[in-house]
Amino acid sequence: MGSPEGQGNADEHPQHEVTIARPFALAKFALTFDEWDACAARGGCRSDVSDNGWGRGRRPAINVTWDDAQAYVKWLSSVTGKPYRLLSEAEHEYAARAGSETKYPWGDDIKLDGQAMANCYGCGSQWDDKQTAPVGSFAANRFGLNDMVGNVSAWTEDCWNNSYKGAPTDGSPWTSDARSSRVVRGGSWIINPDSLRSANRNRASTVDRGSALGFRVARTLTP
Amino acid sequence: MALLAELPELVGFFSYSREDDEDSNGKLSALRGAIGSELAQHLGRSKRRDFQLWQDQAAIEAGDDWESEISKAIGQAAFFIPIVTPRAVASRHCKFEFESFLARESELGRDDLIFPILYVPVPALLDEAKWRNDPVLSIVGKRQHFDWRRFRHVAPETTVYGEAIESFCEQIVAKLREPWVSPEERRQLEAEAKKRAEDEERFRQETDARRQAEERVRLRKEAIAKKRAEEEARERQEAETKRRGEEEEQERVRKEALANRHLAPLTAAEERALKPGDSFKEGPDCPEMIVVPAGVS
């Protein structure tokens, strides 16, 4: 996890090994408006979340704060009786890489064989720098997960730290410092390819919201 | 191994032409007498008891069947002294005696028991092309012969004559004392050698047969072991294929059930059975979830 010495941004160091000891479940796609709206319809989530006029349905839910995301997983856990949650930063990078050690899940170039692999500012897709793409518009990675980088950035459970010094190595979220900034991961339609790297980190305040920020749910599995 | 000189009765044969003897006033008979006496002395034998130098005039009674008597005598002879003269060479009798002894000599397994005495010059002996073609002369020519021509007119009482006789007889004695394998001994030795060879051959064959039998047993054991190993491998393979097929079928049924299940929270059993890559939904409006494997990043 992180970037090798001399590569990536300062906050991606030190590179360190994280062990995900047990399988866990992760949503195949970023949470969609369909899913968000189902929660809103049952009173679990805010019903006034804007889609920027791009349409709802299978487009990823945007304009949601970290607290909105927490409200959703709380609601989902209550209706299913299962431990749904946001994913940790380490889980995000692990799941995005899906075993790869390259810059992007598919290689070191933003495109693969001339094909656009994601939606970002310079990814080569039809949505670049314009709007979100419906989820699943690009090929899944080796774990079967779509859009782990690009389209919308994803909230994670972790608090922001400027480096990995002292970070957990078991895949759990780093929440010891309860400052208001949280880690967001994956990059989005509005951002350049360098910020789509699997190792790239970003942050936002828990009350921030925006047209390029969504989330993806995880679920702990009982052995 | 024996010596001809040690035969219980030693017989020599003195072959000559009777007419030559008569024309020389019995000098050939005298020569036979002198040789016989000299040999008897050298061999330590008695002419009356165990040594005889045969000559037909002396040995054959009148009226006896000449050829059969000669054959009988030569059949016992250990050496042969032909007196070589033009008459003897031409004589049917002498030729018969000579050839009979050649057969006897061959039976004894020897080729050195003829001691020709050249008594009167034979012109054919001087011409090899001629003696080569004569069976008698060719033997005389090839083997060493004693030239008696210069003693023919020497009186038997003289030292020169006596010394010549002794010198001649020494050759005969030397040959009679050479190590010799009798025909019986030779036959016995040959039989023993043959038996030994047969024994060895039989032993070799038996050993070969045993080795071959052992080899056959070994090969059969190997073949059985190989067959068994192949059968076991095949059974293992079949069991493995069957097991894998059953597992695949179970997996297929499980995945199908997972995909077709009524959209509701996973049961504990369903959750325990999940494998990396599986996908599930826990309600109609719930996100589709993927099982991410454990691992290291």
Side-chain angles (χ1 to χ4, degrees), chain A residues 1 16-21 23-28 35 38 42 72 76 80 82 84 94 143 145 217 219 221-223, chain B residues 264-268 271-272 274-277 279-297:
Chain A
M1 182 168 176
H16 60 292
E17 197 171 276
V18 170
T19 300
I20 308 293
F24 63 99
L26 185 56
K28 182 170 173 59
E35 288 154 357
R42 288 165 180 77
Y72 179 83
L76 186 57
T80 58
K82 302 294 181 182
Y84 282 90
Y94 172 73
F143 285 167
L145 305 167
V217 300
R219 175 189 183 306
L221 294 174
T222 308
Chain B
L266 294 172
T267 64
E271 191 162 337
R272 269 199 305 277
L274 287 175
K275 292 195 172 72
S279 82
F280 64 87
K281 278 180 80 157
E282 296 191 280
D285 301 320
C286 294
E288 180 185 353
M289 304 300 286
I290 299 281
V291 178
V292 173
V296 176
S297 173

Side-chain angles (χ1 to χ4, degrees), chain B residues 41-97:
Chain B
Q41 286 178 66
H42 278 277
L43 295 166
R45 287 177 181 257
S46 163
K47 283 207 275 186
R48 282 187 298 280
R49 212 169 48 245
D50 57 4
F51 177 69
Q52 204 178 0
L53 187 54
W54 237 82
Q55 113 178 11
D56 62 356
Q57 192 178 34
I60 304 174
E61 301 290 325
D64 281 349
D65 176 0
W66 178 81
E67 278 197 1
S68 106
E69 284 300 316
I70 294 292
S71 292
K72 206 169 131 194
I74 287 181
Q76 296 167 350
F79 61 96
F80 185 75
I81 304 173
I83 304 301
V84 181
T85 67
R87 263 195 203 123
V89 167
S91 158
R92 190 177 63 82
H93 287 177
C94 291
K95 194 172 176 183
F96 175 78
E97 289 165 0

Side-chain angles (χ1 to χ4, degrees), chain B residues 168-234:
Chain B
F168 174 68
C169 288
E170 278 169 353
Q171 291 176 27
I172 297 176
V173 169
K175 290 300 179 189
L176 294 178
R177 283 184 173 151
E178 275 188 6
W180 172 70
V181 178
S182 72
E184 292 75 25
E185 279 179 307
R186 193 167 61 243
R187 275 194 291 278
Q188 199 179 332
L189 288 175
E190 281 171 4
E192 282 170 8
K194 191 177 171 206
K195 186 169 180 300
R196 202 158 48 239
E198 284 169 0
D199 286 350
E200 282 169 6
E201 176 63 15
R202 193 165 51 246
F203 178 73
R204 197 184 61 69
Q205 284 176 357
E206 284 169 3
T207 306
D208 280 359
R210 197 167 56 245
R211 284 209 191 108
Q212 282 167 10
E214 287 167 2
E215 179 67 6
R216 275 196 299 277
V217 169
R218 193 182 66 74
L219 288 175
R220 198 159 54 237
K221 278 185 185 162
E222 270 181 16
I224 290 169
K226 190 178 170 208
K227 189 153 174 265
R228 194 180 303 136
E230 283 170 359
E231 277 169 10
E232 284 170 2
R234 194 164 52 244

